[in-house]
Amino acid sequence: TKPSGRCFHRDHQLWVPLTLDDFEAINRCERSLPKNFNFAGDVLDQWSRKEKTGERPASPALWWVNGKEDEVKWSFGELGSLSRKAANVLTKPCGLERGDRVAVILPRIPEWWLIIVACMRTGLVFMPGTTQLTAKDILYRLRASKAKCIVASEEVIPAVESIMSECPDLKTKLLVSPHNRSGWHSFQELLQTAPAEHSCVETGSREPMAIYFTSGTTGSPKMAQHSQSSLGIGYTLCGRYWLDLKSSDVIWNMSDTGWIKAAIGSVFSTWLQGACVFVHRMAQFDADTFLDTLTTYPVTTLCSAPTVYRMLVQKDLKRYKFKKLRHCLTGGEPLNPEVLEQWKVQTGLELYEGYGQTEVGIICANQKGQEIKPGSMGKGVLPYDVQIIDENGNILPPGKEGEIALRLTSTRPFCFFSEYVDNPEKTAATIRGNFYVTGDRGVMDNDGYFWFVGRADDVIISSGYRIGPFEVESALIEHPAVVESAVVSSPDPIRGEVVKAFVVLSAPFKSANLEKLTLELQDHVKKSTAPYKYPRKVEFVQELPKTITGKIKRNVLRDREWG
Ligand code: BCO
């Protein structure tokens, strides 16, 4: 494939592909962004070429296992040829065109990586979603984005089929399953007969590549749109200095395919460095399977939410001899110093915490070689200038709590999300003076280390998930027992914080069995919206604290929970 992200080599009078060092220089603002860039053509196909010339070790690009003796190992060359065929599936039988939006709701299966890379090759905008999404969630996503296609696995068929008639823009449904189903294209069947030749489109560096749905305090999730370069080049420093990856490394990043963390750790940071993405299908987290996997496979680098490490340190870790593990990372929610300490005592390995957001990627990190201060999320990372600011956009001195913000220069950093699609007000609300505001509160110490304090708004961060209280309250109010509710965070030793619902009951349910009703409400929320959002704690109250204008004061309830 003709590389599109090219630079002119003066000595050889040739256009040559950009190298990893060039990408690093772009991130350090030492060279400008190329006009065109395509991750598949400019990064993956270059590794494929290096594989052929022996410039890259012969380890796979993707190594997938499912704990049932099934295994997939693809080199960059194989990933290239299969994703070219997948690109032909998307454009020909599915009839999709550059710029069309594609919802991709698949578990951790190799086809997720094929579809994502095929979208890059064809200039389609992919929108990953977790398989925990319910019919209502999927309907919202398809309608809000006007998606032309949904790629789904068997578990979401009933949800998709129940709402299809309400999605006039949806042209095509592509099923990833060994079984055929009427009304759906079969990905496996089409892949077999698809032509092998495909010419990668020359996407602009600022052209949209992906949309991630992200929850806020109010309303439905917003569509954070990323460009070809924000994801495709923006994770160079993260892969090199936080994940500490070399092309011989094998990284296991646990995140579900629906979150940007999967894109960061299991696609962009890793493949920019030419390292191997390791994936375990694991439909539901299981600590024993997790630990056995680390003793069986030569995983060198592990990245997982703090909740997973909290679950793992409950085990006798000294019993396990990890095959090759040398570098452990965590992020998505704050890590407690005690867990870091227990992990180190039991495994001999440090835990390198990072902090970031769907919108702007990694903001702070404990990079390899840097002293770790337990409880801190490390220092600000390039290209960002991270500061703590007050409500007027003034920089606060070390030791003072304020909002974590990124200082902006005249142009928007290329690694930022481009916008919240169709929501200029919410996009504008992220800017305060010369700063992008994260919505998180923190403190910087005298050595430049950042310490997370909590959200500035009502968003709940539980087990690494960002959960909007409004979405849970909206689900609860659908139940006849609920007159109104307020949803806040509540402390939890394993999940950091959990969702707690304060519920005012309707008259017919006031004398109900409250234990049974709690389970019923939890089950109801799990069916109405993605189950990870369900209230793990429920308290029934006579009334909710309100302002004189009748607005629920979630902060009063939250303060009560946190003492
Ligand atoms: O705990 P419960 O069993 O009561 O409930 C669980 C599931 O059983 C349940 N559930 C799942 N599917 C269901 C269902 N219930 C009914 N029907 C279904 N179809 O719902 C609850 C889901 O909770 P969970 O996902 O936390 O499950 P689990 O097994 O406890 O997993 C623990 C973790 C730690 C593996 C999981 O919470 C996790 O993966 N957390 C990390 C999330 C993450 O990757 N966040 C990163 C976001 S991106 C970011 O932060 C930007 C950084 C730059």
Side-chain angles (χ1 to χ4, degrees), residues 132 255 284-285 308 332 356-357 463-465 495 526 531 534 536:
Q132 286 197 33
S255 186
Q284 185 121 32
F285 177 74
V308 167
Q357 286 193 335
S463 314
Y465 295 119
R495 293 174 189 272
K526 283 182 178 181
Y534 87 89
R536 287 174 188 270

Side-chain angles (χ1 to χ4, degrees), residues 291-310:
L291 292 165
D292 288 343
T293 305
L294 288 176
T295 60
T296 311
Y297 295 95
V299 171
T300 59
T301 313
L302 176 66
C303 186
S304 218
T307 296
V308 167
Y309 290 103
R310 284 189 211 105

Side-chain angles (χ1 to χ4, degrees), residues 108 131-132 235 254-256 259-262 264 284-285 305 307-308 311 331-333 355-358 361-362 462-466 495 523 526 531-534 536:
R108 296 180 197 97
T131 52
Q132 286 197 33
Y235 288 105
M254 271 280 299
S255 186
D256 182 276
W259 314 117
I260 199 149
K261 211 147 158 276
I264 300 174
Q284 185 121 32
F285 177 74
T307 296
V308 167
M311 290 170 170
E333 51 165 326
Y355 155 75
Q357 286 193 335
T358 300
I362 302 302
S462 176
S463 314
Y465 295 119
R466 189 165 138 168
R495 293 174 189 272
D523 199 43
K526 283 182 178 181
Y532 68 84
K533 298 180 205 164
Y534 87 89
R536 287 174 188 270

Side-chain angles (χ1 to χ4, degrees), residues 180-225:
N180 286 357
R181 189 170 177 96
S182 145
W184 293 75
H185 287 296
S186 161
F187 178 68
Q188 272 89 340
E189 255 181 37
L190 293 172
L191 191 72
Q192 277 189 5
T193 51
E197 289 76 36
H198 182 271
S199 183
C200 190
V201 298
E202 214 170 313
T203 39
S205 288
R206 301 270 186 185
E207 191 171 324
M209 184 206 251
I211 291 175
Y212 281 88
F213 285 78
T214 169
S215 296
T217 299
T218 54
S220 303
K222 307 179 288 289
M223 293 189 276
Q225 180 164 278

